[in-house]
Amino acid sequence: MKRIILIFAITISLVSCDKKTKVEKAVEEIPLEIKVERFDKLFFETSPKDIAQLKKQFPFFFPPGNPDSVWLNKMQNPLWRELYTEVQKKYSNFEPVQKELNTLFKHIKYYFPETKTPKVITVISEMDYNSKVIYTDSLVIISLELYLGKGHKFYQFPNYLKQNFEQKQILPDVVSSFSTQQIAPLTDTSLLSQLVYYGKELYLKDLLLPGYTDADKIGYTLEQNKWCEENEGYMWRYFLENELLYSDDHKLGNRFINTAPFSKFYLEIDNDSPGRVGTWIGWQMVRSYMKNNDVPLKEMLKMNAKELFEKSKYKPKKNGE
């Protein structure tokens, strides 16, 4: 019997690998080339007399009503120029990132063939960590000042934010922004709806960033991801026993969904937990749904949270199993 089970397991593994290989081969063959424009470099290296030409080329970065003196002052401001110097040190050669972006957009084209291939523009902005990447229909704007490395001297932020100011987070952030165009928006504020919404976002990263670790996809350290794996059963039991799934208490988002130094069970484990554990639980729920249901990706992305949960057969292992 053990031998039969082993043979079956190996067969399933080989079929799964073959399927993955077929997908990746199909992705590689997609004819696509991403264009990257370094607006950050153009802006700080443009002569003041040529600013009109730059405004004509990138009108969306120059809102009407601001005199040229605003932009000239920024070009010449020592702090902005120092920041530009640091960005150039890190990204003087953007080709490695561009290659990764190219692979990402091939995956996007494979799973979402109707999606336009956007132009990628790099900028230096105001260190708004809530808008590190902006994905629109035809543009992807990446704020490079927020990917200099968590230990950079310019970052006066808490560690739980700085840990994701790394180059390896550029692509996961692109997918996060892209996902807002593909996932049905939240229609209620229940914890379950939030779990499923962000679980769908992370499942897209499984498909679009197959070479990334789970920790990098969600923006955790390896230790934080391991904590979630080891405490999955406990967290799920806590949600059920406290009847939180269908609660629309607005505090639940801050406790379990939003970026934070830790999650808030109001117990001793809070000190060891990472923030956003609800999104991690939602991820496992969506993975379980896709494993147990043969449905198109786009259908799942539009499905309401209650139906997805009920059909997911999600049942985490008990702690210690």
Side-chain angles (χ1 to χ4, degrees):
M1 175 62 75
K2 287 183 178 179
R3 186 182 176 191
I4 293 173
I5 293 173
L6 178 61
I7 293 171
F8 179 74
I10 293 172
T11 302
I12 292 294
S13 176
L14 289 173
V15 169
S16 180
C17 288
D18 185 54
K19 182 180 178 183
K20 182 178 179 182
T21 301
K22 286 180 180 177
V23 170
E24 291 306 306
K25 283 182 178 178
V27 167
E28 288 175 4
E29 292 172 2
I30 294 174
L32 184 150
E33 195 67 39
I34 286 294
K35 182 178 181 182
V36 176
E37 295 192 12
R38 296 291 304 273
F39 175 78
D40 54 308
K41 191 172 183 180
L42 288 170
F43 180 82
F44 285 100
E45 294 186 5
T46 290
S47 171
K49 65 181 176 61
D50 295 325
I51 193 168
Q53 183 178 342
L54 192 64
K55 289 169 67 175
K56 185 177 180 181
Q57 187 178 353
F58 299 95
F60 37 85
F61 289 137
F62 298 93
N66 290 319
D68 287 354
S69 59
V70 171
W71 315 116
L72 295 174
N73 287 338
K74 183 175 181 178
M75 286 176 174
Q76 297 163 1
N77 183 289
L79 290 177
W80 278 104
R81 294 207 67 83
E82 185 180 2
L83 180 56
Y84 168 63
T85 299
E86 293 300 303
V87 169
Q88 282 304 109
K89 284 181 186 176
K90 177 72 175 177
Y91 295 106
S92 58
N93 178 15
F94 200 70
E95 189 174 335
V97 181
Q98 183 167 348
K99 283 183 178 179
E100 281 199 87
L101 285 167
N102 217 64
T103 300
L104 167 59
F105 283 105
K106 284 188 177 186
H107 280 86
I108 289 176
K109 201 71 175 176
Y110 178 83
Y111 289 104
F112 303 91
E114 75 288 352
T115 302
K116 295 179 182 177
T117 301
K119 181 192 298 182
V120 176
I121 302 178
T122 62
V123 301
I124 296 175
S125 193
E126 304 282 347
M127 289 204 179
D128 179 4
Y129 56 81
N130 289 313
S131 302
K132 295 163 74 180
V133 173
I134 298 173
Y135 192 120
T136 68
D137 186 47
S138 57
L139 288 176
V140 174
I141 300 171
I142 302 172
S143 297
L144 290 182
E145 82 280 4
L146 286 164
Y147 298 101
L148 296 177
K150 63 184 178 183
H152 197 277
K153 62 182 180 180
F154 282 168
Y155 294 150
Q156 302 299 313
F157 296 98
N159 288 334
Y160 74 93
L161 291 176
K162 290 193 295 185
Q163 75 180 42
N164 285 314
F165 291 180
E166 298 282 349
Q167 180 176 326
K168 67 182 179 181
Q169 278 302 305
I170 292 178
L171 268 67
D173 288 343
V174 171
V175 177
S176 291
S177 190
F178 170 75
S179 71
T180 62
Q181 302 175 25
Q182 306 301 326
I183 301 172
L186 287 167
T187 56
D188 64 73
T189 57
S190 70
L191 180 62
L192 178 62
S193 289
Q194 295 182 74
L195 297 183
V196 171
Y197 180 89
Y198 291 103
K200 290 176 180 178
E201 176 189 313
L202 287 162
Y203 185 78
L204 277 182
K205 294 182 183 181
D206 286 338
L207 300 180
L208 302 178
L209 299 172
Y212 275 58
T213 66
D214 281 2
D216 286 340
K217 292 171 194 171
I218 193 171
Y220 278 172
T221 63
L222 291 174
E223 292 74 19
Q224 288 173 328
N225 195 68
K226 184 179 179 182
W227 188 95
C228 288
E229 291 173 345
E230 293 175 347
N231 290 277
E232 181 180 2
Y234 179 88
M235 292 189 289
W236 184 240
R237 189 166 70 250
Y238 179 91
F239 289 160
L240 295 181
E241 290 177 353
N242 289 277
E243 300 180 346
L244 298 182
L245 285 187
Y246 295 100
S247 171
D248 59 0
D249 182 349
H250 70 278
K251 293 180 182 178
L252 293 175
N254 287 328
R255 290 174 63 187
F256 301 115
I257 301 295
N258 300 337
T259 304
F262 54 86
S263 295
K264 301 176 182 67
F265 296 90
Y266 303 139
L267 298 168
E268 281 189 25
I269 64 168
D270 289 4
N271 295 326
D272 299 317
S273 71
R276 299 178 294 121
V277 296
T279 65
W280 192 92
I281 289 289
W283 189 10
Q284 312 319 308
M285 191 183 296
V286 173
R287 282 174 164 175
S288 181
Y289 174 82
M290 293 302 282
K291 179 181 178 182
N292 292 303
N293 296 272
D294 185 16
V295 298
L297 174 63
K298 290 185 179 180
E299 183 178 320
M300 180 276 286
L301 294 176
K302 302 302 180 186
M303 186 175 293
N304 73 69
K306 187 172 184 294
E307 181 183 0
L308 187 148
F309 167 51
E310 290 173 349
K311 293 181 178 179
S312 70
K313 301 180 183 178
Y314 174 62
K315 188 178 180 182
K317 292 180 181 179
K318 295 179 181 178
N319 287 9
E321 288 187 2

